[in-house]
């Protein structure tokens, strides 16, 4: 059943983006709590998005709780740091406090290159909607959420003002989510 989950989730991503992905596995770090078949799917630029997409495959394969999620992140380039980022998020989800919509995570380092974005915000897949965001398997609805790299100041803004205020800030500031060198949208 879990192998079927992995296969069908991979198909879900590849059919949605219309591109074959490459299976990548972090060869170090926290994997002991993850499903043995867990991996990150790297999808190259495609007709839907002209960027790389990294997707967790198997973050909720064991389906032992009601918090069934998978994550994806966009990138302007292929970079193994994103395999590490998503693997750490998946491990945290399985070993600490489960992640969910509107949560933030401390990445602990720039998400890419010398970016000031060293945190991430878990969001609905606004650019893609439910066609990507919902994966049905075995009677369960699994949410595929967008992991958006953010700055510590943006994370603090969310804590102080709420997730809706942060998303409004993104909209008003025209968040350049794909640019590792983007400026922080919190001013003052």
């Amino acid at each position: 059943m879990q192998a079927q989950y992995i296969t069908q989730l991979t198909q879900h991503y590849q059919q949605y983006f219309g591109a074959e992905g490459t299976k990548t596995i972090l060869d170090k770090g926290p994997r002991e709590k993850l499903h043995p078949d867990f991996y990150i799917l790297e999808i190259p630029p495609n007709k839907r998005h002209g960027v790389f997409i990294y997707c967790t495959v198997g973050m909720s394969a064991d389906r032992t709780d009601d918090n069934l999620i998978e994550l994806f992140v966009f990138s302007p380039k292929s970079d193994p740091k994103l395999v590490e980022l998503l693997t750490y998020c998946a491990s945290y989800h399985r070993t600490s406090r489960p992640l969910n919509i509107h949560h933030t995570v401390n990445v602990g380092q720039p998400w890419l290159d010398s970016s000031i974005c060293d945190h991430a915000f878990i969001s609905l897949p606004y650019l893609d909607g439910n066609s990507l965001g919902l994966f049905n398997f075995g009677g369960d609805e699994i949410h595929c959420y967008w992991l958006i790299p953010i700055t510590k100041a943006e994370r603090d803004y969310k804590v102080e003002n709420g997730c809706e205020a942060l998303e409004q800030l993104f909209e008003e500031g025209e968040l350049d989510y794909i640019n590792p060198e983007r400026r922080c949208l919190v001013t003052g």
Side-chain angles (χ1 to χ4, degrees), residues 137-162:
F137 180 80
D140 290 326
E141 193 171 77
I142 293 86
H143 294 272
C144 300
Y145 291 136
W146 181 13
L147 189 71
I148 303 173
I150 62 173
T151 66
K152 181 180 183 313
E154 291 163 344
R155 178 244 175 233
D156 292 347
Y157 183 87
K158 179 232 160 193
V159 170
E160 291 172 22
N161 301 287

Side-chain angles (χ1 to χ4, degrees), residues 6 17 28 30 46 60 69 72 103 111 115 118 124 138 142 150 173 179:
I6 300 285
F17 291 113
K28 60 181 181 189
N46 53 75
S60 291
I69 71 169
F72 67 91
H103 287 182
W111 75 286
S115 176
D118 59 359
L124 291 170
I142 293 86
I150 62 173
N179 181 2

Side-chain angles (χ1 to χ4, degrees), residues 10 52 54 76-77 84 89 94 104 118 129 168 177 181 185:
T10 300
F52 287 87
Y54 288 82
K77 65 179 187 171
E84 182 179 357
C89 285
R94 302 306 323 155
T104 54
D118 59 359
Q168 185 67 35
Y177 62 89
E181 300 304 319
L185 296 178

Side-chain angles (χ1 to χ4, degrees), residues 21-94:
T22 302
K23 175 181 173 179
T24 52
I25 298 172
L26 186 66
D27 58 357
K28 60 181 181 189
R31 294 194 41 84
E32 63 277 353
K33 297 289 183 181
L34 296 172
H35 185 275
D37 296 328
F38 173 87
Y39 64 88
I40 305 300
L41 186 66
E42 179 190 69
I43 298 176
N46 53 75
K47 290 180 183 178
R48 287 202 187 264
H49 297 285
V51 298
F52 287 87
I53 304 111
Y54 288 82
C55 312
T56 61
V57 178
M59 188 168 161
S60 291
D62 57 10
R63 301 181 306 157
T64 57
D65 58 40
D66 294 333
N67 191 24
L68 303 175
I69 71 169
E70 299 285 341
L71 298 173
F72 67 91
V73 65
F74 295 112
S75 175
K77 65 179 187 171
S78 176
D79 194 311
K81 281 180 78 171
L82 297 173
V83 174
E84 182 179 357
L85 169 63
L86 287 175
T87 302
Y88 276 89
C89 285
S91 179
Y92 182 87
H93 177 70
R94 302 306 323 155

